[in-house]
Amino acid sequence: ASLAQAAQDCLPRHLVGPPMCALPEAGATYPRDVFPLPEGMPAGWKGIEKLYGPKAKNAGKVYCRYFSVDGKHKHIGLPKHVITIDCEAKG
């Protein structure tokens, strides 16, 4: 098995699930930073919550994207993918 597959096999269930859409929080301004990041996320990443645009299927709902702080990786949709990318980069 690859290092990436091995990393995914031992991930907590809350990091593996499908992307979630949520209703916006009352009084919140989007986009906004996600803090704290989900448990198990590697250091060197940040999350940003955004709203789907008016023509999207999920218009007005919130979604999250993850970015590496060094700028090499952008718009990663799931914590599972963040962990895989981080493991592959670190060997």
Side-chain angles (χ1 to χ4, degrees):
S2 71
L3 178 62
Q5 184 61 47
Q8 289 182 29
D9 289 345
C10 64
L11 291 175
R13 181 71 196 133
H14 71 278
L15 295 178
V16 180
M20 304 277 294
C21 295
L23 295 175
E25 189 176 306
T29 303
Y30 296 91
R32 68 180 186 169
D33 290 339
V34 174
F35 188 80
L37 289 176
E39 183 180 341
M41 291 281 285
W45 290 81
K46 65 179 180 175
I48 302 204
E49 286 184 334
K50 300 179 177 190
L51 291 177
Y52 284 105
K55 295 183 180 181
K57 177 182 174 184
N58 292 312
K61 291 187 178 178
V62 177
Y63 67 98
C64 185
R65 293 294 179 262
Y66 299 96
F67 302 81
S68 61
V69 294
D70 64 10
K72 290 182 181 179
H73 305 285
K74 300 176 182 179
H75 308 288
I76 309 302
L78 291 172
K80 171 178 85 169
H81 296 148
V82 169
I83 292 169
T84 300
I85 290 166
D86 194 68
C87 286
E88 289 174 348
K90 292 179 180 173

